[in-house]
Amino acid sequence: MPWYHHTSIYQIYPRSFYDSNGDGIGDIQGIIQKLDYIKSIGYESIWCSPFFKSPQQDFGYDVSDYCDIAPEYGTLADAQQLIDETHRRGMKIVFDMVMNHTSVEHPWFKKDAAKQNDADYYIWRDKPNNWKSMTGGSGWQYSPERKQYYWASFLPFQPDLNYRNPEVKKAMLDNVRFWLRRGVDGFRLDIFNVIYKDSLLRDNPFSWKAIPDEKNPNGFFQQFKYTINQPESMAFAKELRNVCNEFGDRILLGEVSGNRKIIRKFSGEEKNDGLGLVFNFEMLRFKFKAKYFDELVRNIETDFPEPFMPVYVFSNHDRRRSIKRLKDDTQKAKLLHLFQLTVRGVPCMYYGEEIGMTDARIPFKKGLDPIAQKMKKYPRFIFDLAGETPNRDELRTPMQWNDSANAGFSSAGKTWLPVNKDFISVNVDAEQKNTGSLLNYIQHILKIRNSNEAFTKGSLELIPQKELPGNVLGYKRKYGPSEFTVLLNLSTKDKAVTLNAKTIQVPAISGVILSSNGKIQ
Ligand code: GLC
Ligand code: CA
């Protein structure tokens, strides 16, 4: 089994993690200073959202130079130091590659707009077809300079590259090699499943679907038949895998959307010869019910059986924080992460999730996030009803380290985003001192996970719901002779579970891990 199938991932949003030089913006040296903290929780890998050179219109997801670092985050030497310092601690480091699009500031785009490239680096057309972007509205943007429209899958300042031009593919694979050569353990791949668009640019068919979701990206009354999940993108996944193989065992973790069977294809067809890992986003909108998790695991085990490995993710830099969906209930959050860390899959945790950081409320109008700006014409209650926030600033507030000014994130007078007000009680320092905290709980479960291969490499067998009391989830993890049973009581009542003629008491909203010698948690 490759290392990245049994690792655990901690996601860092560099701008918000730790500010080492007091300018109000998190930076690479800041990450380096906090590596020991991440290791002490028990995470084996870190993934950093992009810190490449960028005008920061989408805070790094609009790259203008893949082989350089944005000055507010540091230098190439800092990035190298981060790679080396992570490795020195026996951990792995994953960078974030935005291959689908660049910034409009990228020299490639400027040259294309001036028609100075032999073959187009981007996708141009005299007249738009009916394609909608992933964020709504036409994805075709007019360039007054070139007097043509370019295609942008996400936002207007993020033009999509034209991978049908071999020069583009080669140049981007060279960028990938640039970092692999410097020792990066692999990449998280931004919106990988839109990399190729239909070569004939055929119109997308109509759909009744208004809002895209995790299982079905169609929306805005359009079926995204010709703009996402093209077979060429799946073939490209294999090509990228081969490039990584030149450097040994490297992780490729795809951000892809679609139903489970489609996203599985990006991981690999029969063998695990594609990206090897894709996010399973469907649980971002989990329901806190045993039946929900039972069905989720059953479906995922069916569609991602060995040698595939699912990735369990409950929060990230785009979506509402998991504890917010639990109405900030720490006890429930403990149970959610007990599940995430003991189920068969790679757990991916978003910075601050381990201390129960929640979403701040930041009015749209003040939103720095370009999505907030795009959506501010709609009333807030629509998004609240849908359980989402279109202002991603709310979940990107600075990491809460302690109860001093700026939550110990920065010594600046003003931080790039305001610190969430709850930092006085929700912070690393306070939780390290409190034995009953979420942080200490997660650390404890990670210790169990890291020292028992049954959790990282073992098989999973669900205990049928009919053998368990209502709102209790149960599964077994086995690896060789070692076997564990995990029971999670999601109800507000204590439950008695009888397994093999033995009865175990599981208190309300809590979980137990049983080994053959008895209860270990
Ligand atoms: C992905 C990223 C998101 C970004 C977008 C455009 O969805 O996760 O943060 O805005 O792609 O790159
Ligand atoms: Ca800084």
Side-chain angles (χ1 to χ4, degrees):
M1 182 184 281
W3 66 268
Y4 51 80
H5 275 194
H6 56 78
T7 192
S8 45
I9 304 175
Y10 185 91
Q11 182 193 354
I12 295 171
Y13 194 69
R15 208 171 179 84
S16 296
F17 199 54
Y18 187 63
D19 171 19
S20 72
N21 62 350
D23 63 356
I25 299 173
D27 44 57
I28 296 180
Q29 283 301 330
I31 302 174
I32 295 172
Q33 288 182 32
K34 297 297 183 183
L35 284 174
D36 287 333
Y37 164 71
I38 302 167
K39 184 165 168 88
S40 76
I41 322 174
Y43 283 94
E44 295 180 344
S45 302
I46 59 168
W47 146 38
C48 300
S49 281
F51 36 54
F52 306 114
K53 206 165 162 222
S54 155
Q56 309 292 345
Q57 280 180 277
D58 191 14
F59 299 105
Y61 285 95
D62 50 329
V63 179
S64 57
D65 186 348
Y66 293 85
C67 300
D68 205 352
I69 304 296
E72 60 264 59
Y73 297 137
T75 61
L76 271 179
D78 292 323
Q80 187 65 58
Q81 193 187 342
L82 175 63
I83 296 170
D84 298 340
E85 287 293 326
T86 309
H87 288 162
R88 206 165 61 77
R89 288 166 176 78
M91 295 161 75
K92 305 275 190 190
I93 179 156
V94 183
F95 276 14
D96 203 320
M97 274 308 270
V98 189
M99 302 180 83
N100 175 67
H101 50 267
T102 68
S103 154
V104 283
E105 300 279 306
H106 197 291
W108 293 341
F109 186 75
K110 290 188 177 163
K111 262 184 106 176
D112 238 22
K115 271 207 143 187
Q116 282 167 359
N117 285 319
D118 293 341
D120 288 343
Y121 266 53
Y122 297 81
I123 301 163
W124 296 93
R125 218 186 128 112
D126 290 332
K127 272 205 191 103
N129 62 8
N130 80 345
W131 291 357
K132 300 248 172 87
S133 81
M134 295 166 83
T135 57
S138 172
W140 292 100
Q141 311 298 331
Y142 189 66
S143 156
E145 189 182 353
R146 180 155 156 158
K147 299 192 177 55
Q148 269 188 316
Y149 292 84
Y150 61 87
W151 172 248
S153 287
F154 203 73
L155 288 167
F157 53 82
Q158 292 163 316
D160 281 36
L161 284 161
N162 169 20
Y163 280 84
R164 296 183 192 275
N165 173 357
E167 243 182 80
V168 169
K169 200 195 269 184
K170 187 184 169 299
M172 191 53 92
L173 292 178
D174 282 348
N175 288 334
V176 165
R177 288 192 183 92
F178 175 90
W179 288 109
L180 290 171
R181 224 175 282 125
R182 279 164 176 73
V184 159
D185 295 293
F187 307 97
R188 175 260 185 196
L189 301 160
D190 195 68
I191 50 173
F192 189 81
N193 61 332
V194 300
I195 283 219
Y196 278 88
K197 275 61 64 175
D198 181 47
S199 61
L200 303 173
L201 278 70
R202 281 171 282 190
D203 273 354
N204 274 332
F206 174 81
S207 154
W208 283 107
K209 203 150 174 288
I211 301 166
D213 60 62
E214 299 74 24
K215 288 190 204 163
N216 181 348
N218 296 335
F220 313 110
F221 301 102
Q222 188 160 100
Q223 202 186 315
F224 285 5
K225 184 173 176 186
Y226 294 117
T227 39
I228 77 161
N229 296 332
Q230 303 300 297
E232 293 97 323
S233 299
M234 291 164 198
F236 186 53
K238 292 190 181 163
E239 231 177 301
L240 195 57
R241 164 57 54 209
N242 288 336
V243 169
C244 282
N245 287 348
E246 295 167 19
F247 297 83
D249 236 3
R250 306 293 169 109
I251 184 173
L252 287 175
L253 169 52
E255 185 198 22
V256 294
S257 53
N259 73 43
R260 233 174 280 116
K261 292 197 168 45
I262 288 177
I263 64 170
R264 218 293 291 287
K265 285 192 181 165
F266 283 97
S267 208
E269 304 276 342
E270 261 98 74
K271 286 186 289 166
N272 209 349
D273 56 357
L275 300 179
L277 284 176
V278 294
F279 289 109
N280 293 82
F281 283 139
E282 61 185 296
M283 73 279 282
L284 279 170
R285 290 163 65 90
F286 63 93
K287 293 194 183 70
F288 198 75
K289 289 262 181 320
K291 264 205 175 121
Y292 167 84
F293 287 106
D294 178 76
E295 204 183 307
L296 174 76
V297 174
R298 193 179 309 282
N299 287 335
I300 287 188
E301 287 299 301
T302 305
D303 289 329
F304 287 78
E306 282 181 62
F308 297 96
M309 189 63 91
V311 178
Y312 280 79
V313 50
F314 291 107
S315 292
N316 63 30
H317 64 293
D318 292 328
R319 302 298 294 273
R320 179 158 270 190
R321 282 182 177 272
S322 59
I323 200 164
K324 182 81 181 171
R325 296 187 199 274
L326 296 169
K327 301 203 166 60
D328 297 329
D329 184 326
T330 312
Q331 203 52 35
K332 287 185 178 169
K334 284 183 183 168
L335 209 50
L336 182 73
H337 295 300
L338 172 64
F339 167 76
Q340 186 188 28
L341 297 171
T342 57
V343 73
R344 192 183 76 86
V346 172
C348 187
M349 187 173 269
Y350 184 46
Y351 84 93
E353 213 180 348
E354 76 278 19
I355 54 170
M357 264 174 71
T358 194
D359 295 353
R361 189 114 177 153
I362 303 175
F364 281 27
K365 285 196 187 73
K366 286 196 191 158
L368 303 180
D369 176 15
I371 296 287
Q373 289 306 321
K374 183 161 181 173
M375 300 297 171
K376 69 182 175 194
K377 52 183 184 262
Y378 303 105
R380 172 101 200 191
F381 78 89
I382 299 182
F383 300 100
D384 283 341
L385 278 177
E388 293 301 337
T389 170
N391 182 5
R392 296 175 297 177
D393 291 358
E394 298 189 338
L395 39 110
R396 297 171 175 179
T397 56
M399 177 68 176
Q400 295 164 199
W401 295 103
N402 56 45
D403 63 4
S404 69
N406 295 332
F409 159 73
S410 166
S411 60
K414 195 167 178 257
T415 53
W416 82 280
L417 279 179
V419 172
N420 198 348
K421 289 189 199 79
D422 67 1
F423 78 95
I424 298 289
S425 52
V426 179
N427 65 66
V428 173
D429 229 19
E431 296 205 20
Q432 278 175 336
K433 286 178 194 140
N434 170 3
T435 47
S437 68
L438 178 59
L439 177 61
N440 277 317
Y441 184 80
I442 286 175
Q443 191 174 27
H444 173 67
I445 304 299
L446 266 166
K447 212 172 261 164
I448 297 174
R449 175 186 160 91
N450 294 347
S451 47
N452 292 290
E453 285 175 311
F455 292 112
T456 47
K457 299 180 184 166
S459 62
L460 181 144
E461 189 192 316
L462 275 166
I463 301 170
Q465 281 284 290
K466 59 179 188 307
E467 292 174 21
L468 295 167
N471 219 358
V472 172
L473 175 74
Y475 45 87
K476 292 189 176 137
R477 301 296 316 270
K478 279 186 208 168
Y479 189 73
S482 120
E483 178 176 334
F484 294 89
T485 301
V486 183
L487 296 170
L488 298 107
N489 178 3
L490 282 80
S491 85
T492 49
K493 293 196 182 82
D494 298 351
K495 297 278 164 109
V497 180
T498 306
L499 291 174
N500 307 325
K502 264 199 215 148
T503 299
I504 306 119
Q505 300 298 330
V506 191
I509 316 197
S510 72
V512 295
I513 301 177
L514 305 165
S515 75
S516 41
N517 306 325
K519 186 172 157 186
I520 61 163
Q521 146 59 40

